[in-house]
Amino acid sequence: MEQPEHTVAEQTPPGYSDDKDAVLKRLRRVEGQVRGLQRLVQQDQYCIDVLTQVAATTKALQAVAVQLLEDHLKHCVQEAAIAGGDEAQDKVAEASQAIARFLRT
């Protein structure tokens, strides 16, 4: 996966720092759901049952994405907006692009 370039100003803690434990807990739960999906396929479970669990896993991962996006807006974008200038415009554009990518999935 391609990693975006970040400026020196972005060396501050990420917006999710305060919620890091909760984010990791949710990601571990999603990881467990994916392992469960693998077991369902290995056990030749009914297609619709597997698809139902895929949908639940997708929803759980989307919930993580929404939380990360909210944290980014509250922390990174808000701080840049207060600072103003080009950085503020860049952060808003970056957030808009992230939202567009999220909606395409």
Side-chain angles (χ1 to χ4, degrees):
M1 180 181 306
E2 186 178 318
Q3 296 293 322
E5 292 185 32
H6 298 285
T7 64
V8 175
E10 295 179 40
Q11 299 300 324
T12 59
Y16 59 82
S17 289
D18 293 340
D19 298 324
K20 186 175 182 177
D21 290 338
V23 171
L24 288 171
K25 182 178 178 180
R26 286 179 129 181
L27 287 171
R28 282 190 289 275
R29 195 172 316 136
V30 170
E31 182 180 20
Q33 287 177 291
V34 171
R35 282 194 303 273
L37 282 166
Q38 291 171 343
R39 280 191 301 278
L40 290 176
V41 171
Q42 287 172 340
Q43 297 169 354
D44 295 322
Q45 295 295 315
Y46 186 57
C47 300
I48 297 302
D49 294 340
V50 176
L51 288 169
T52 299
Q53 292 307 310
V54 167
T57 303
T58 300
K59 184 118 176 133
L61 196 53
Q62 286 173 338
V64 173
V66 167
Q67 180 179 357
L68 290 171
L69 183 57
E70 286 176 1
D71 289 342
H72 180 68
L73 291 171
K74 288 177 186 175
H75 180 262
C76 303
V77 175
Q78 185 176 20
E79 284 183 10
I82 291 169
D86 290 341
E87 185 177 353
Q89 292 176 354
D90 292 345
K91 288 293 182 186
V92 169
E94 181 182 63
S96 294
Q97 291 168 0
I99 292 167
R101 280 192 307 273
F102 184 68
L103 291 174
R104 283 193 293 265
T105 60

XYZ file of all heavy atoms in Angstrom:
811
model
N 0.845 -1.166 0.000
C 0.000 0.000 0.000
C 0.897 1.237 0.000
O 1.835 1.330 0.772
C -0.908 -0.016 1.232
C -1.825 1.177 1.290
S -2.887 1.220 2.754
C -3.686 -0.344 2.690
N 0.605 2.183 -0.840
C 1.391 3.407 -0.960
C 1.151 4.302 0.244
O 0.031 4.573 0.631
C 0.988 4.138 -2.240
C 1.834 5.338 -2.522
C 1.428 5.989 -3.825
O 1.170 5.266 -4.805
O 1.362 7.229 -3.851
N 2.251 4.770 0.853
C 2.165 5.648 2.016
C 2.304 7.093 1.565
O 3.208 7.422 0.805
C 3.294 5.328 3.013
C 3.196 3.933 3.586
C 1.983 3.762 4.466
O 1.601 4.649 5.194
N 1.355 2.606 4.370
N 1.425 7.992 2.034
C 1.529 9.395 1.662
C 2.736 10.036 2.331
O 3.173 9.612 3.395
C 0.227 10.014 2.172
C -0.233 9.096 3.245
C 0.276 7.724 2.885
N 3.287 11.061 1.684
C 4.385 11.811 2.273
C 3.812 12.810 3.260
O 2.757 13.388 3.059
C 5.152 12.548 1.176
C 5.905 11.617 0.256
C 6.751 12.378 -0.748
O 7.235 13.466 -0.415
O 6.910 11.861 -1.850
N 4.535 13.020 4.360
C 4.085 13.942 5.389
C 5.188 14.944 5.672
O 6.369 14.635 5.590
C 3.712 13.200 6.678
C 2.584 12.236 6.479
N 1.289 12.648 6.347
C 2.557 10.895 6.373
C 0.511 11.602 6.172
N 1.263 10.522 6.178
N 4.800 16.142 6.059
C 5.752 17.198 6.349
C 6.276 17.058 7.771
O 5.744 16.296 8.576
C 5.088 18.586 6.200
O 4.067 18.694 7.186
C 4.514 18.785 4.814
N 7.308 17.822 8.096
C 7.874 17.810 9.434
C 6.837 18.232 10.466
O 6.796 17.709 11.576
C 9.113 18.746 9.490
C 9.652 18.838 10.898
C 10.182 18.242 8.537
N 5.965 19.164 10.096
C 4.918 19.621 11.015
C 3.998 18.483 11.423
O 3.346 18.542 12.451
C 4.115 20.751 10.376
N 3.947 17.434 10.623
C 3.059 16.314 10.905
C 3.706 15.279 11.824
O 3.192 14.190 11.976
C 2.609 15.666 9.600
C 1.762 16.594 8.767
C 1.338 15.958 7.469
O 1.000 14.770 7.459
O 1.346 16.661 6.467
N 4.828 15.613 12.448
C 5.487 14.710 13.371
C 4.796 14.678 14.730
O 5.192 13.943 15.606
C 6.964 15.114 13.531
C 7.750 15.063 12.238
C 7.782 13.682 11.610
O 7.832 12.672 12.303
N 7.726 13.616 10.293
N 3.776 15.494 14.910
C 3.004 15.473 16.148
C 2.233 14.163 16.218
O 2.022 13.501 15.201
C 2.024 16.665 16.208
O 1.147 16.589 15.096
C 2.768 17.987 16.202
N 1.802 13.781 17.400
C 1.056 12.518 17.518
C -0.185 12.520 16.623
O -0.803 13.567 16.416
C 0.652 12.477 18.995
C 1.567 13.423 19.685
C 1.946 14.457 18.672
N -0.557 11.355 16.104
C -1.749 11.287 15.258
C -3.012 11.608 16.041
O -3.036 11.510 17.275
C -1.759 9.844 14.749
C -0.883 9.090 15.682
C 0.092 10.060 16.283
N -4.050 11.959 15.316
C -5.311 12.350 15.929
C -5.939 11.261 16.787
O -6.681 11.546 17.716
N -5.621 10.015 16.506
C -6.220 8.911 17.255
C -5.422 8.542 18.506
O -5.764 7.581 19.206
C -6.386 7.673 16.365
C -5.100 7.149 15.777
C -4.252 6.331 16.499
C -4.736 7.486 14.484
C -3.078 5.862 15.963
C -3.560 7.021 13.932
C -2.731 6.207 14.679
O -1.563 5.749 14.138
N -4.374 9.294 18.830
C -3.508 8.952 19.966
C -4.286 8.733 21.254
O -4.009 7.797 21.998
C -2.465 10.045 20.193
O -1.522 10.022 19.161
N -5.248 9.590 21.523
C -6.028 9.456 22.754
C -6.909 8.213 22.750
O -7.271 7.704 23.812
C -6.899 10.699 22.978
C -6.066 11.938 23.278
O -4.891 11.798 23.682
O -6.597 13.054 23.102
N -7.268 7.737 21.563
C -8.144 6.568 21.421
C -7.399 5.339 20.908
O -8.016 4.384 20.447
C -9.287 6.888 20.448
C -10.172 8.012 20.942
O -10.404 8.097 22.164
O -10.632 8.805 20.102
N -6.070 5.366 20.987
C -5.261 4.300 20.388
C -5.652 2.914 20.900
O -5.784 1.976 20.117
C -3.778 4.565 20.656
C -2.849 3.611 19.959
C -1.404 4.036 20.186
C -0.457 3.127 19.469
N 0.932 3.593 19.635
N -5.852 2.772 22.203
C -6.221 1.470 22.755
C -7.553 0.979 22.205
O -7.702 -0.196 21.868
C -6.274 1.519 24.288
C -4.884 1.660 24.905
O -3.881 1.306 24.245
O -4.804 2.132 26.055
N -8.517 1.886 22.068
C -9.830 1.515 21.526
C -9.720 1.125 20.055
O -10.359 0.156 19.617
C -10.821 2.659 21.700
N -8.902 1.863 19.305
C -8.707 1.536 17.878
C -8.064 0.156 17.749
O -8.505 -0.681 16.956
C -7.862 2.619 17.172
C -7.470 2.179 15.767
C -8.614 3.943 17.116
N -7.023 -0.087 18.538
C -6.355 -1.395 18.484
C -7.296 -2.522 18.891
O -7.280 -3.602 18.287
C -5.113 -1.381 19.376
C -3.950 -0.559 18.847
C -2.856 -0.416 19.897
C -3.399 -1.176 17.571
N -8.140 -2.278 19.883
C -9.111 -3.290 20.321
C -10.075 -3.624 19.187
O -10.357 -4.792 18.923
C -9.871 -2.780 21.544
C -10.852 -3.760 22.114
C -11.532 -3.204 23.348
C -12.560 -4.170 23.893
N -13.222 -3.645 25.094
N -10.545 -2.586 18.507
C -11.467 -2.804 17.381
C -10.769 -3.555 16.246
O -11.349 -4.450 15.625
C -12.007 -1.478 16.862
C -13.030 -0.851 17.771
C -13.495 0.464 17.220
N -14.944 0.460 17.208
C -15.684 1.439 16.768
N -15.127 2.520 16.266
N -16.992 1.360 16.805
N -9.522 -3.198 15.972
C -8.784 -3.878 14.904
C -8.519 -5.339 15.255
O -8.589 -6.212 14.376
C -7.477 -3.144 14.608
C -7.635 -1.820 13.867
C -6.307 -1.073 13.818
C -8.181 -2.044 12.466
N -8.245 -5.622 16.512
C -8.066 -7.027 16.921
C -9.373 -7.796 16.760
O -9.379 -8.965 16.370
C -7.556 -7.097 18.360
C -6.065 -6.795 18.480
C -5.518 -7.115 19.870
N -5.978 -6.182 20.876
C -5.407 -5.013 21.142
N -4.338 -4.643 20.475
N -5.900 -4.230 22.085
N -10.492 -7.133 17.039
C -11.802 -7.777 16.856
C -12.029 -8.086 15.369
O -12.497 -9.173 15.023
C -12.905 -6.873 17.402
C -14.217 -7.590 17.572
C -15.269 -6.752 18.283
N -14.745 -6.047 19.437
C -15.025 -4.773 19.726
N -15.819 -4.067 18.949
N -14.520 -4.208 20.793
N -11.684 -7.143 14.503
C -11.817 -7.369 13.058
C -10.905 -8.510 12.624
O -11.301 -9.373 11.832
C -11.510 -6.073 12.267
C -11.406 -6.356 10.779
C -12.576 -5.014 12.537
N -9.695 -8.521 13.167
C -8.759 -9.600 12.852
C -9.355 -10.958 13.223
O -9.260 -11.932 12.467
C -7.445 -9.368 13.600
C -6.382 -10.397 13.313
C -5.103 -10.119 14.087
O -5.147 -9.381 15.100
O -4.056 -10.656 13.693
N -9.999 -11.021 14.375
C -10.662 -12.256 14.794
C -11.796 -12.632 13.857
O -12.000 -13.816 13.558
N -12.521 -11.622 13.376
C -13.603 -11.893 12.429
C -13.051 -12.457 11.127
O -13.641 -13.371 10.543
C -14.407 -10.618 12.159
C -15.283 -10.199 13.314
C -15.998 -8.890 13.030
O -15.385 -7.839 12.967
N -17.304 -8.976 12.843
N -11.923 -11.945 10.673
C -11.313 -12.446 9.434
C -10.856 -13.895 9.637
O -11.067 -14.737 8.758
C -10.153 -11.538 8.973
C -9.378 -12.175 7.827
C -10.683 -10.166 8.575
N -10.271 -14.189 10.783
C -9.885 -15.585 11.060
C -11.123 -16.479 11.077
O -11.098 -17.615 10.587
C -9.123 -15.681 12.377
C -7.670 -15.235 12.264
C -6.860 -15.650 13.487
N -7.409 -15.153 14.736
C -7.134 -13.972 15.277
N -6.303 -13.153 14.666
N -7.685 -13.615 16.419
N -12.228 -15.956 11.626
C -13.475 -16.719 11.615
C -13.973 -16.980 10.205
O -14.480 -18.071 9.907
N -13.811 -15.988 9.336
C -14.183 -16.172 7.926
C -13.358 -17.279 7.292
O -13.881 -18.108 6.531
C -13.972 -14.867 7.148
C -15.035 -13.805 7.319
C -14.547 -12.467 6.782
C -16.305 -14.239 6.604
N -12.076 -17.296 7.592
C -11.217 -18.347 7.046
C -11.686 -19.719 7.502
O -11.726 -20.668 6.705
C -9.759 -18.116 7.475
C -9.131 -16.901 6.835
C -7.777 -16.566 7.444
O -7.420 -17.023 8.524
N -7.018 -15.745 6.730
N -12.062 -19.817 8.779
C -12.565 -21.102 9.298
C -13.852 -21.515 8.595
O -14.045 -22.695 8.267
C -12.791 -21.022 10.805
C -11.533 -21.181 11.625
C -11.822 -21.369 13.110
N -12.561 -20.263 13.704
C -12.015 -19.128 14.129
N -10.730 -18.938 14.025
N -12.764 -18.192 14.679
N -14.747 -20.548 8.368
C -16.002 -20.865 7.674
C -15.727 -21.448 6.295
O -16.360 -22.427 5.882
C -16.872 -19.619 7.554
C -17.505 -19.080 8.835
C -18.246 -17.775 8.545
C -18.448 -20.112 9.457
N -14.789 -20.848 5.578
C -14.455 -21.337 4.236
C -13.781 -22.702 4.332
O -14.111 -23.628 3.572
C -13.572 -20.311 3.484
C -13.040 -20.898 2.182
C -14.359 -19.028 3.216
N -12.854 -22.866 5.282
C -12.192 -24.157 5.449
C -13.189 -25.259 5.780
O -13.016 -26.406 5.381
C -11.128 -24.077 6.548
C -9.899 -23.309 6.133
C -8.932 -23.080 7.287
O -9.301 -23.160 8.457
N -7.688 -22.776 6.939
N -14.256 -24.904 6.494
C -15.269 -25.881 6.900
C -16.379 -26.027 5.866
O -17.374 -26.700 6.115
C -15.868 -25.480 8.247
C -14.872 -25.474 9.376
C -15.417 -24.824 10.637
O -16.520 -24.275 10.659
N -14.621 -24.851 11.690
N -16.193 -25.387 4.701
C -17.175 -25.469 3.615
C -18.582 -25.056 4.056
O -19.582 -25.695 3.706
C -17.214 -26.882 3.010
C -15.912 -27.252 2.330
O -15.313 -26.359 1.688
O -15.502 -28.417 2.438
N -18.665 -23.966 4.806
C -19.954 -23.463 5.259
C -20.743 -22.884 4.086
O -20.191 -22.529 3.048
C -19.757 -22.394 6.339
C -19.129 -22.933 7.598
C -20.012 -23.935 8.313
O -21.208 -23.715 8.481
N -19.427 -25.050 8.724
N -22.022 -22.760 4.287
C -22.947 -22.243 3.277
C -22.543 -20.829 2.846
O -22.192 -19.978 3.674
C -24.366 -22.249 3.872
C -25.461 -21.887 2.911
C -25.651 -22.591 1.733
C -26.315 -20.831 3.205
C -26.683 -22.249 0.871
C -27.344 -20.490 2.349
C -27.517 -21.205 1.171
O -28.528 -20.869 0.320
N -22.582 -20.584 1.535
C -22.133 -19.315 0.948
C -22.763 -18.095 1.617
O -22.075 -17.116 1.924
C -22.453 -19.267 -0.548
S -21.669 -20.560 -1.505
N -24.053 -18.140 1.830
C -24.754 -16.993 2.409
C -24.281 -16.727 3.840
O -24.142 -15.577 4.247
C -26.289 -17.201 2.354
C -26.753 -17.291 0.897
C -27.015 -16.085 3.104
C -26.422 -16.071 0.040
N -23.977 -17.784 4.589
C -23.445 -17.603 5.941
C -22.085 -16.905 5.900
O -21.812 -16.017 6.712
C -23.330 -18.949 6.659
C -24.684 -19.591 6.930
O -25.706 -18.865 6.916
O -24.718 -20.815 7.144
N -21.249 -17.290 4.958
C -19.940 -16.654 4.807
C -20.124 -15.199 4.394
O -19.496 -14.291 4.956
C -19.057 -17.411 3.791
C -17.731 -16.686 3.576
C -18.809 -18.850 4.242
N -21.003 -14.960 3.437
C -21.249 -13.579 2.978
C -21.805 -12.704 4.093
O -21.456 -11.524 4.194
C -22.202 -13.583 1.784
C -21.593 -14.094 0.476
C -22.680 -14.309 -0.562
C -20.544 -13.124 -0.029
N -22.651 -13.275 4.932
C -23.189 -12.529 6.065
C -22.060 -12.089 6.994
O -22.021 -10.949 7.458
C -24.221 -13.375 6.837
O -25.298 -13.693 5.940
C -24.759 -12.651 8.057
N -21.119 -12.985 7.227
C -19.984 -12.655 8.094
C -19.019 -11.679 7.413
O -18.412 -10.837 8.086
C -19.258 -13.924 8.531
C -20.075 -14.788 9.472
C -20.574 -13.999 10.672
O -19.817 -13.301 11.341
N -21.871 -14.085 10.950
N -18.889 -11.762 6.095
C -18.069 -10.783 5.355
C -18.679 -9.391 5.540
O -17.968 -8.411 5.788
C -17.965 -11.142 3.858
C -17.395 -9.977 3.054
C -17.106 -12.383 3.664
N -20.002 -9.298 5.423
C -20.671 -8.010 5.592
C -20.450 -7.461 7.002
O -20.187 -6.269 7.180
C -22.167 -8.145 5.294
N -20.529 -8.323 8.007
C -20.318 -7.887 9.392
C -18.880 -7.416 9.605
O -18.634 -6.401 10.265
C -20.649 -9.026 10.357
N -17.935 -8.123 9.006
C -16.527 -7.752 9.123
C -16.262 -6.428 8.415
O -15.546 -5.561 8.937
C -15.633 -8.866 8.544
O -15.924 -10.091 9.228
C -14.161 -8.534 8.695
N -16.844 -6.259 7.248
C -16.697 -5.011 6.496
C -17.252 -3.843 7.300
O -16.630 -2.781 7.399
C -17.413 -5.120 5.139
O -16.833 -6.200 4.409
C -17.301 -3.838 4.342
N -18.412 -4.038 7.909
C -19.032 -2.989 8.725
C -18.143 -2.631 9.921
O -17.983 -1.457 10.253
C -20.410 -3.463 9.195
C -21.192 -2.455 9.945
C -22.438 -2.148 9.199
C -23.290 -1.208 10.001
N -23.774 -0.116 9.215
N -17.559 -3.632 10.543
C -16.675 -3.387 11.684
C -15.438 -2.600 11.253
O -15.001 -1.676 11.946
C -16.265 -4.706 12.330
N -14.866 -2.930 10.118
C -13.694 -2.211 9.619
C -14.063 -0.790 9.215
O -13.310 0.153 9.460
C -13.074 -2.971 8.445
C -11.663 -2.575 8.047
C -10.703 -2.604 9.232
C -11.167 -3.490 6.949
N -15.245 -0.620 8.656
C -15.710 0.724 8.317
C -15.898 1.569 9.581
O -15.617 2.771 9.570
C -17.019 0.658 7.530
C -16.833 0.190 6.101
C -18.154 -0.038 5.385
O -19.199 -0.235 6.000
N -18.102 -0.029 4.061
N -16.327 0.950 10.665
C -16.484 1.681 11.929
C -15.126 2.187 12.420
O -15.020 3.301 12.943
C -17.143 0.796 12.981
N -14.077 1.387 12.238
C -12.729 1.828 12.593
C -12.344 3.026 11.726
O -11.818 4.026 12.224
C -11.699 0.695 12.430
C -10.275 1.207 12.636
C -11.993 -0.449 13.388
N -12.628 2.933 10.436
C -12.290 4.028 9.525
C -13.013 5.315 9.909
O -12.420 6.398 9.890
C -12.623 3.632 8.082
N -14.275 5.208 10.265
C -15.046 6.389 10.659
C -14.448 7.008 11.920
O -14.287 8.224 12.019
C -16.541 6.047 10.851
C -17.287 7.175 11.555
C -17.179 5.749 9.506
N -14.085 6.172 12.879
C -13.473 6.681 14.109
C -12.163 7.400 13.793
O -11.897 8.491 14.302
C -13.233 5.560 15.108
C -12.595 6.063 16.400
C -12.375 4.966 17.418
O -12.741 3.805 17.213
N -11.763 5.318 18.531
N -11.327 6.794 12.939
C -10.056 7.428 12.576
C -10.286 8.746 11.845
O -9.577 9.726 12.086
C -9.222 6.479 11.710
C -8.663 5.248 12.427
C -8.056 4.283 11.413
C -7.652 5.642 13.481
N -11.263 8.776 10.975
C -11.573 9.999 10.243
C -12.055 11.092 11.193
O -11.629 12.247 11.095
C -12.621 9.719 9.161
C -13.003 10.891 8.270
C -11.789 11.478 7.560
C -14.046 10.455 7.263
N -12.931 10.737 12.122
C -13.406 11.714 13.110
C -12.251 12.270 13.930
O -12.149 13.480 14.146
C -14.440 11.073 14.034
C -15.778 10.853 13.397
C -16.761 10.128 14.312
O -16.399 9.810 15.483
O -17.884 9.871 13.865
N -11.359 11.371 14.374
C -10.208 11.816 15.151
C -9.311 12.729 14.319
O -8.797 13.725 14.825
C -9.403 10.617 15.656
C -10.123 9.835 16.746
O -11.064 10.378 17.358
O -9.749 8.665 16.976
N -9.147 12.406 13.052
C -8.317 13.232 12.171
C -8.927 14.631 12.004
O -8.228 15.629 12.085
C -8.162 12.562 10.800
C -7.337 13.345 9.837
N -5.987 13.534 10.009
C -7.672 14.007 8.712
C -5.518 14.283 9.012
N -6.526 14.575 8.206
N -10.234 14.668 11.815
C -10.890 15.968 11.654
C -10.806 16.794 12.936
O -10.527 17.993 12.894
C -12.355 15.774 11.245
C -12.580 15.217 9.842
C -14.048 14.863 9.644
C -12.107 16.183 8.782
N -11.043 16.153 14.083
C -11.029 16.865 15.359
C -9.630 17.338 15.750
O -9.488 18.341 16.431
C -11.575 15.961 16.472
C -13.048 15.725 16.396
C -13.467 14.758 17.500
C -14.925 14.373 17.368
N -15.307 13.341 18.354
N -8.630 16.591 15.345
C -7.273 16.901 15.789
C -6.476 17.603 14.697
O -6.182 18.788 14.790
C -6.588 15.593 16.221
C -5.190 15.767 16.708
N -4.101 15.554 15.903
C -4.696 16.137 17.913
C -3.000 15.785 16.596
N -3.328 16.131 17.815
N -6.143 16.882 13.656
C -5.231 17.387 12.624
C -5.833 18.529 11.812
O -5.197 19.570 11.629
C -4.807 16.246 11.699
S -4.040 14.864 12.575
N -7.032 18.330 11.326
C -7.659 19.345 10.476
C -8.013 20.579 11.300
O -7.769 21.713 10.866
C -8.896 18.781 9.741
C -9.605 19.864 8.951
C -8.482 17.639 8.813
N -8.546 20.368 12.482
C -8.905 21.505 13.338
C -7.674 22.328 13.699
O -7.708 23.563 13.635
C -9.603 21.016 14.603
C -10.123 22.139 15.481
C -10.892 21.616 16.682
O -10.750 20.461 17.071
N -11.706 22.455 17.264
N -6.582 21.687 14.071
C -5.356 22.420 14.404
C -4.831 23.194 13.202
O -4.385 24.338 13.329
C -4.290 21.473 14.930
C -4.544 21.023 16.347
C -3.443 20.137 16.895
O -2.379 20.007 16.251
O -3.647 19.575 17.982
N -4.877 22.564 12.024
C -4.410 23.243 10.815
C -5.313 24.430 10.485
O -4.825 25.484 10.055
C -4.360 22.257 9.645
N -6.613 24.275 10.699
C -7.546 25.371 10.415
C -7.283 26.555 11.338
O -7.335 27.712 10.903
C -8.986 24.893 10.566
N -6.966 26.276 12.578
C -6.653 27.348 13.523
C -5.368 28.061 13.095
O -5.287 29.282 13.140
C -6.534 26.797 14.959
C -7.915 26.366 15.452
C -5.910 27.827 15.897
C -7.899 25.560 16.738
N -4.375 27.273 12.636
C -3.105 27.853 12.187
C -3.297 28.644 10.897
O -2.618 29.637 10.663
C -2.059 26.757 11.992
N -4.230 28.194 10.055
C -4.517 28.881 8.796
C -3.464 28.628 7.729
O -2.595 27.787 7.877
N -3.584 29.369 6.656
C -2.616 29.285 5.566
C -2.752 28.045 4.711
O -3.792 27.385 4.690
N -1.659 27.753 4.011
C -1.646 26.626 3.080
C -1.858 25.283 3.772
O -2.489 24.388 3.219
C -0.328 26.584 2.303
C -0.205 27.718 1.305
O -1.250 28.318 0.949
O 0.933 28.003 0.873
N -1.320 25.154 4.969
C -1.466 23.889 5.683
C -2.936 23.575 5.937
O -3.374 22.434 5.812
C -0.700 23.895 7.005
C -0.754 22.550 7.695
C 0.045 22.489 8.980
O 0.770 23.440 9.308
O -0.082 21.464 9.664
N -3.715 24.597 6.267
C -5.149 24.392 6.506
C -5.830 23.896 5.233
O -6.609 22.944 5.271
C -5.798 25.683 6.992
N -5.527 24.538 4.126
C -6.113 24.121 2.852
C -5.679 22.703 2.496
O -6.479 21.901 2.010
C -5.731 25.092 1.754
C -6.366 26.456 1.912
C -5.895 27.440 0.854
O -5.008 27.161 0.048
N -6.496 28.628 0.848
N -4.402 22.388 2.752
C -3.892 21.051 2.454
C -4.582 19.982 3.294
O -4.924 18.911 2.793
C -2.383 20.987 2.686
C -1.585 21.814 1.690
O -2.149 22.211 0.639
O -0.390 22.067 1.965
N -4.791 20.279 4.574
C -5.441 19.302 5.461
C -6.894 19.065 5.074
O -7.383 17.945 5.126
C -5.371 19.757 6.921
C -4.003 19.656 7.528
C -3.585 18.221 7.662
C -2.219 18.141 8.333
N -1.708 16.790 8.367
N -7.591 20.112 4.682
C -8.984 19.961 4.250
C -9.027 19.133 2.964
O -9.855 18.222 2.832
C -9.667 21.334 4.070
C -11.010 21.183 3.379
C -9.839 22.022 5.420
N -8.120 19.422 2.031
C -8.069 18.658 0.777
C -7.733 17.197 1.055
O -8.343 16.282 0.479
C -7.045 19.269 -0.172
N -6.791 16.969 1.946
C -6.398 15.605 2.321
C -7.584 14.849 2.931
O -7.841 13.695 2.583
C -5.239 15.691 3.313
C -4.700 14.370 3.788
C -3.599 14.577 4.803
O -3.867 15.141 5.890
O -2.465 14.170 4.500
N -8.309 15.498 3.831
C -9.479 14.871 4.451
C -10.559 14.594 3.410
O -11.189 13.527 3.428
C -10.021 15.758 5.569
N -10.768 15.523 2.487
C -11.763 15.329 1.424
C -11.403 14.133 0.558
O -12.275 13.328 0.197
C -11.864 16.579 0.553
O -12.369 17.651 1.298
N -10.129 13.991 0.240
C -9.669 12.854 -0.566
C -9.870 11.537 0.197
O -10.276 10.531 -0.391
C -8.213 13.030 -0.960
C -7.992 14.144 -1.950
C -6.525 14.497 -2.109
O -5.648 13.921 -1.487
N -6.248 15.474 -2.965
N -9.599 11.554 1.493
C -9.787 10.356 2.306
C -11.262 9.959 2.345
O -11.612 8.778 2.242
C -9.253 10.576 3.720
N -12.135 10.949 2.487
C -13.575 10.680 2.504
C -14.014 10.113 1.149
O -14.781 9.148 1.088
C -14.367 11.954 2.855
C -14.095 12.342 4.305
C -15.854 11.758 2.619
C -14.567 13.729 4.680
N -13.504 10.670 0.070
C -13.850 10.184 -1.279
C -13.390 8.725 -1.439
O -14.139 7.889 -1.970
C -13.217 11.065 -2.345
N -12.178 8.405 -0.977
C -11.694 7.015 -1.065
C -12.578 6.086 -0.237
O -12.910 4.990 -0.663
C -10.245 6.917 -0.560
C -9.205 7.332 -1.543
C -7.802 6.944 -1.085
N -7.464 7.398 0.234
C -6.931 8.602 0.527
N -6.691 9.459 -0.434
N -6.635 8.893 1.773
N -12.960 6.560 0.925
C -13.802 5.774 1.816
C -15.162 5.484 1.185
O -15.692 4.383 1.271
C -13.958 6.505 3.146
C -14.721 5.744 4.181
C -14.216 4.587 4.748
C -15.956 6.198 4.610
C -14.924 3.896 5.707
C -16.674 5.506 5.566
C -16.153 4.364 6.119
N -15.718 6.485 0.516
C -17.035 6.321 -0.107
C -16.995 5.408 -1.331
O -17.993 4.784 -1.668
C -17.609 7.679 -0.491
C -18.009 8.574 0.681
C -18.432 9.954 0.181
C -19.113 7.931 1.498
N -15.844 5.326 -1.979
C -15.708 4.453 -3.167
C -15.635 2.987 -2.783
O -15.858 2.122 -3.619
C -14.468 4.825 -3.967
C -14.635 6.067 -4.803
C -13.497 6.217 -5.805
N -12.229 6.467 -5.159
C -11.685 7.654 -4.941
N -12.330 8.740 -5.287
N -10.516 7.769 -4.358
N -15.327 2.684 -1.537
C -15.181 1.284 -1.139
C -16.508 0.631 -0.878
O -17.515 1.200 -0.735
C -14.297 1.141 0.115
O -14.882 1.863 1.197
C -12.891 1.617 -0.176
